[in-house]
C-alpha cells in the first residue's frame, strides 16, 4: 500500500484515511456548480431535507428523544427499533449541507435537533430510545435485531460530518458521540462482551470518529467488531447467520452475501481497518470480494440484492429483473465500499461502479420534487404501479411507485446525506497531482503535496454530452499531473490539450488518461467520451434475462415504459436489435415488434406466429426517470425479436 502524508487539516469529507494511494478532496476544495448532480443537490437542500425532518417529527421518531429526556418512555414511543438512526442520518445530511452553503436557518434547525438528542443521553453515555428503561428491553439484550450499535454508528458519522464542516462547534454533538463511543469501548472492548451487532455500521462510524478525534480506542473497537464478525456470536435465524455476515470471518469471505446493506457496510468498515492497520492481506480479501460481487451478483444498474424476503444477495448469476430488490441503501453502501477501495488502491474500476450506481440507483430513488422515494429498485414492473398516499406511510418494498415515507424509512435520509456530501466524491489528490473521478460542472481549488496551489473549473453537460472540459484558472510554476477517468464503456475516447501555443489530441484508453505539465491559466484539457447508445446483453449464466438486451448511453441505463408503447400487452413487445438504437429529438428510439397473444384454456402449446408482426418506433427513458410521468409498466431488459 502506498503511504501518503496525512494532511495538516483533514479534508471536509465523509472518509479521511491516514494512508492510501489517493487523498480525498473535501467540500472546501471541490464544489459542484450545476448540471445533473448540481440540480439534485439543489432539490435535496430545498426540499428533501425539510421533508425528512417533517416526517421525523410527524412520525414521532424525533419526539421519541423528547420522551426519553422527560422520562416518559416507553409510553408513546413510535417507530421501529432503528428509528433513532434516521434522526442521525438527517443530522449528517444537514451538517454536510451547512458545510456546502452556510445556511443560517438550517444551522439553527440543526442545533435544535442536536439539543433534543443530547437531552436524551444517559449519564454514562448510553443513547437509545428503544431499550434500557422500565418496560423496555435491557440494554444490549437483542444484538441480533436491536440495532443499538447500528444507530450509534450513524450518530458517530453525523458527529464526524459536523466536526469536519464546523470544527470546534459548540453545539455538543461531538461530545455526545464521544461519550457514547467511550461506553461502547467499555462494554464491547478487549475486556468486554466479545459480540457484534446484527447490522454492521458502527464499524465505519467508529473508524471515522477515531480519525477525526485521534482517539485510538475507537479504531481498536472497530477492529474488534470486524474481527469478531463471522465467529457465530449471533443467534441462528430462518435465513441463516449469513444474513448478518456472521457465518464466515471477513478475511475468509470470498463474495458479499446475506443482507446487501449489511454486507456493504461491513466491507466498508473492514477497508477502514485494513487501511489504518496497513493490513495488505485483509485489503486483498476485500478487493477479491468486490471483484466477485461485481462480476456475479450486481445488476446492470449497479444495484445489489435480488431477494425480497431477506433483502439479500442471491447466489452467483441470480439476478432476476422482475424480482430485483436492489435497495437504495445497498447502492449507497456499495458506493461507500467502492470509494474506500478507490482511495486505498487508485484503480478507476471502483469509480466506474460508483458512477453506475449513482446514476442508476441513487438518482432513481427520489422523485423530481425530492419528496418521495423508491426503497427498492426493480428492473421490471409488470403492471402500472399504484400511487402512494402523499400523506401516508408505505410498507418499504410494497410501494410500486415512489412513496413519501416508509415504516422502514432508511432510504430517504440516506439519499439526503449522499447528495449533500457528493462534492467530496468528485476528485482526489496524490503526490503528483489531481484525479477527477466523477463528471459534473465544478470548481476545484486545492494544494498539492509540494505546496503548489492548483485551481481549475470543470465544464460539462455530462451525461447529456460526452465532452468534459477542464479549464485551468491559475498558473503553476512546476509540472503536475491532471488525471481523468475514462469509463470502461468509453472505448474510442480522446483527450485534447489546448494552450496558447499548442493544440494536441490523442486517444485516451479506458481507465485513466493523464496530462502532466506546468499548466498556465487558460490551458484546457478536454476529454471526449463517445456517447453512442449501445445494446448490452448479459452473461449467459444470468438465465433470467437470456434472450434479452438492455440499452445504455454513457453511464445511464435506459428503460422502456408502457406509456410509450401502443399496445395493451406490454410484455409481448420485443426489440429489433438489427434496426439498432437511434438518437433524435434528445431521446433514444428502438423498433419494437408486437408479438401475438393467444388466449387459451392452457397457456402451453404450439402457437405459430403470424407472418407479419406490427412494428412500432418507441422511445426509451433513462432508468432514473422511470415513473416520473405517472404509473407505468417498465422493462430494462427487453426480449429480442
Amino acid at each position: 500500500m502506498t503511504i501518503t502524508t496525512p494532511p495538516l487539516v483533514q479534508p471536509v469529507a465523509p472518509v479521511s484515511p491516514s494512508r492510501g494511494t489517493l487523498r480525498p478532496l473535501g467540500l472546501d476544495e471541490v464544489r459542484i456548480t450545476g448540471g445533473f448532480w448540481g440540480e439534485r443537490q439543489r432539490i435535496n437542500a430545498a426540499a428533501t431535507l425539510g421533508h425528512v425532518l417533517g416526517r421525523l417529527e410527524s412520525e414521532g421518531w424525533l419526539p421519541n428523544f423528547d420522551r426519553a429526556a422527560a422520562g416518559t418512555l416507553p409510553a408513546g414511543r413510535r417507530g421501529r427499533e432503528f428509528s433513532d438512526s434516521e434522526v442521525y442520518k438527517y443530522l449528517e445530511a444537514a451538517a454536510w449541507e451547512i458545510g456546502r452553503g452556510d445556511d443560517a436557518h438550517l444551522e439553527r434547525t440543526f442545533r435544535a435537533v442536536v439539543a433534543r438528542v443530547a437531552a436524551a443521553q444517559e449519564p454514562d453515555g448510553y443513547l437509545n430510545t428503544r431499550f434500557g428503561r422500565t418496560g423496555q428491553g435491557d440494554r444490549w439484550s437483542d444484538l441480533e435485531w436491536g440495532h443499538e450499535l447500528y444507530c450509534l454508528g450513524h450518530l458517530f458519522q453525523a458527529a464526524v460530518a459536523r466536526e469536519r464542516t464546523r470544527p470546534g462547534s459548540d453545539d455538543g454533538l461531538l461530545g455526545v458521540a464521544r461519550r457514547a463511543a467511550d461506553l461502547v469501548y467499555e462494554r464491547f472492548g478487549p475486556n468486554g462482551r466479545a459480540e457484534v451487532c446484527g447490522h454492521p455500521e458502527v464499524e465505519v462510524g467508529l473508524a471515522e470518529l477515531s480519525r477525526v478525534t485521534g482517539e485510538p480506542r475507537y479504531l481498536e473497537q472497530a477492529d474488534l467488531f470486524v474481527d469478531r464478525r463471522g465467529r457465530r456470536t449471533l443467534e441462528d435465524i430462518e435465513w441463516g447467520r449469513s444474513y448478518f455476515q456472521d457465518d464466515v470471518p471477513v478475511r475468509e469471505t470470498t463474495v458479499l452475501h446475506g443482507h446487501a446493506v449489511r454486507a456493504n457496510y461491513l466491507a466498508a468498515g473492514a477497508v477502514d481497518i485494513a487501511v489504518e492497520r496497513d493490513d495488505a492481506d485483509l485489503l486483498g480479501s476485500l478487493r477479491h470480494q468486490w471483484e466477485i460481487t461485481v462480476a456475479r451478483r450486481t445488476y446492470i444498474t449497479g444495484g445489489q440484492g435480488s431477494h425480497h424476503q431477506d433483502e439479500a444477495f442471491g447466489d452467483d448469476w441470480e439476478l432476476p429483473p422482475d424480482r430485483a430488490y436492489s435497495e437504495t441503501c445497498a447502492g449507497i453502501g456499495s458506493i461507500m465500499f467502492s470509494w474506500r477501495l478507490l482511495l486505498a488502491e487508485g484503480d478507476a474500476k471502483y469509480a466506474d461502479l460508483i458512477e453506475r450506481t449513482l446514476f442508476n440507483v441513487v438518482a432513481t430513488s427520489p422523485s423530481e420534487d425530492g419528496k418521495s422515494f423508491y426503497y427498492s429498485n426493480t428492473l421490471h414492473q409488470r403492471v402500472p404501479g399504484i400511487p402512494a398516499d402523499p400523506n401516508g406511510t408505505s410498507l418499504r418494498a410494497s410501494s410500486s411507485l415512489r412513496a413519501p415515507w416508509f415504516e422502514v424509512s432508511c432510504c430517504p435520509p440516506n439519499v439526503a446525506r449522499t447528495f449533500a456530501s457528493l462534492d467530496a466524491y468528485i476528485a482526489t489528490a496524490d503526490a503528483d497531482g489531481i484525479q477527477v473521478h466523477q463528471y459534473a460542472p465544478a470548481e476545484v481549488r486545492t494544494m498539492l503535496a509540494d505546496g503548489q496551489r492548483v485551481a481549475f473549473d470543470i465544464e460539462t453537460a455530462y451525461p447529456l454530452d460526452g465532452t468534459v472540459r477542464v479549464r485551468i484558472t491559475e498558473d503553476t510554476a512546476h509540472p503536475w499531473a491532471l488525471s481523468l477517468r475514462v469509463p470502461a464503456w468509453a472505448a474510442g475516447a480522446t483527450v485534447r490539450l489546448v494552450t496558447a501555443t499548442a493544440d494536441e489530441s490523442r486517444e485516451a484508453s479506458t481507465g485513466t488518461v493523464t496530462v502532466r505539465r506546468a499548466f498556465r491559466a487558460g490551458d484546457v484539457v478536454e476529454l471526449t467520451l463517445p456517447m453512442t447508445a449501445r445494446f448490452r446483453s448479459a452473461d449467459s449464466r444470468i438465465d433470467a434475462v437470456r434472450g434479452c438486451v438492455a440499452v445504455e448511453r454513457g453511464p445511464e441505463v435506459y428503460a422502456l415504459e408502457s406509456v410509450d408503447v401502443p399496445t395493451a400487452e406490454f410484455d409481448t413487445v420485443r426489440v429489433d436489435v438489427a434496426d439498432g438504437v437511434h438518437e433524435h429529438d434528445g431521446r433514444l428510439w428502438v423498433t419494437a415488434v408486437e408479438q401475438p397473444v393467444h388466449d387459451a384454456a392452457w397457456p402451453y402449446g404450439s402457437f405459430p406466429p403470424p407472418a407479419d408482426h406490427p412494428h412500432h418506433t418507441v422511445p426509451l427513458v433513462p432508468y432514473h426517470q422511470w415513473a416520473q410521468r405517472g404509473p407505468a409498466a417498465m422493462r430494462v431488459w427487453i426480449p429480442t425479436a
Side-chain angles (χ1 to χ4, degrees), residues 509-521:
S509 300
T510 58
T512 300
V513 63
T514 299
V515 177
R516 193 177 193 280
R517 62 183 284 115
F519 288 98
R520 310 289 293 179

Side-chain angles (χ1 to χ4, degrees), residues 301 355-364 555-557 623-624:
T301 57
E355 176 181 71
R356 181 175 294 274
T357 308
L358 280 172
F359 275 107
N360 302 298
V361 178
V362 181
T364 305
E556 296 175 303
V557 173
Y623 173 70
H624 58 75

Side-chain angles (χ1 to χ4, degrees), residues 179-250:
R179 287 189 292 276
D182 291 344
L183 179 66
V184 170
Y185 185 82
E186 178 185 333
R187 294 290 185 266
F188 294 92
N191 299 316
R193 298 171 57 174
E195 298 172 279
V196 296
C197 181
H199 198 312
E201 158 62 25
V202 71
E203 297 83 358
V204 290
L206 282 167
E208 216 58 51
L209 189 63
S210 177
R211 289 164 172 164
V212 85
T213 63
E215 174 52 70
R217 293 179 303 148
Y218 303 155
L219 183 66
E220 179 186 5
Q221 185 63 63
D223 194 352
L224 286 171
F225 282 142
V226 169
D227 185 64
R228 290 171 187 163
R229 185 70 57 169
R231 309 294 178 183
R232 297 174 175 255
T233 65
L234 297 170
E235 291 294 327
D236 205 358
I237 62 170
E238 177 186 359
W239 303 309
R241 289 189 179 89
S242 62
Y243 175 85
F244 305 118
Q245 295 76 45
D246 197 37
D247 56 328
V248 181
V250 174

Side-chain angles (χ1 to χ4, degrees), residues 37 256 264 267 286-287 289-304 313 326 330-342 347-363 422 425 437-438 462 485-489 511 552 555-557:
W37 294 118
L256 296 192
N264 275 292
L286 293 160
R287 180 195 314 118
Q289 292 174 41
W290 185 94
E291 290 170 346
I292 299 301
T293 302
V294 171
R296 301 181 180 185
R297 299 187 176 187
T298 300
Y299 284 99
I300 191 171
T301 57
Q304 295 180 345
F313 286 97
S326 183
I332 291 169
S334 171
I335 290 168
M336 291 167 59
F337 183 22
S338 297
W339 179 246
R340 285 161 170 80
L341 286 173
L342 176 63
D347 196 319
K349 65 185 180 184
Y350 302 121
D352 277 358
L353 184 63
I354 290 171
E355 176 181 71
R356 181 175 294 274
T357 308
L358 280 172
F359 275 107
N360 302 298
V361 178
V362 181
L422 195 58
Y425 294 88
H437 304 286
Q438 304 301 331
Y462 191 80
R485 179 179 60 89
V486 182
W489 50 261
E552 295 179 331
E556 296 175 303
V557 173

Side-chain angles (χ1 to χ4, degrees), residues 273-490:
I273 297 305
V275 167
E276 297 305 323
R277 299 302 195 205
D278 199 14
D279 189 333
D281 289 341
L282 177 57
L283 189 63
S285 173
L286 293 160
R287 180 195 314 118
H288 179 72
Q289 292 174 41
W290 185 94
E291 290 170 346
I292 299 301
T293 302
V294 171
R296 301 181 180 185
R297 299 187 176 187
T298 300
Y299 284 99
I300 191 171
T301 57
Q304 295 180 345
S306 56
H307 285 184
H308 280 239
Q309 66 174 7
D310 51 353
E311 303 183 311
F313 286 97
D315 294 329
D316 290 352
W317 322 115
E318 186 185 353
L319 295 164
D322 56 344
R323 292 297 293 167
Y325 198 70
S326 183
E327 184 179 339
T328 300
C329 287
I332 291 169
S334 171
I335 290 168
M336 291 167 59
F337 183 22
S338 297
W339 179 246
R340 285 161 170 80
L341 286 173
L342 176 63
L343 296 178
E345 300 186 341
D347 196 319
K349 65 185 180 184
Y350 302 121
D352 277 358
L353 184 63
I354 290 171
E355 176 181 71
R356 181 175 294 274
T357 308
L358 280 172
F359 275 107
N360 302 298
V361 178
V362 181
T364 305
S365 176
S367 60
E368 291 179 331
D369 67 359
K371 295 181 180 180
S372 59
F373 310 84
Y374 279 130
Y375 184 107
S376 58
N377 295 277
T378 185
L379 275 67
H380 182 184
Q381 177 74 32
R382 292 185 177 276
V383 296
I386 301 172
D389 179 354
N391 300 310
T393 298
S394 299
L395 294 173
R396 52 185 172 185
S398 66
S399 176
S400 53
L401 289 173
R402 295 172 182 89
W405 204 248
F406 304 87
E407 289 186 355
V408 177
S409 213
C410 48
C411 297
N414 224 355
V415 168
R417 69 173 182 148
T418 302
F419 283 166
S421 61
L422 195 58
D423 309 70
Y425 294 88
I426 297 294
T428 58
D430 64 9
D432 195 41
I434 304 299
Q435 306 79 40
V436 180
H437 304 286
Q438 304 301 331
Y439 296 125
E443 298 172 347
V444 179
R445 309 286 186 268
T446 190
M447 197 79 71
L448 297 180
D450 62 3
Q452 187 170 216
R453 178 174 167 80
V454 166
F456 59 83
D457 295 339
I458 303 173
E459 304 165 355
T460 184
Y462 191 80
L464 293 177
D465 182 83
T467 300
V468 180
R469 190 172 293 108
V470 177
R471 188 178 303 278
I472 307 299
T473 58
E474 292 186 21
D475 294 351
T476 50
H478 307 291
W480 59 278
L482 172 65
S483 298
L484 305 175
R485 179 179 60 89
V486 182
W489 50 261

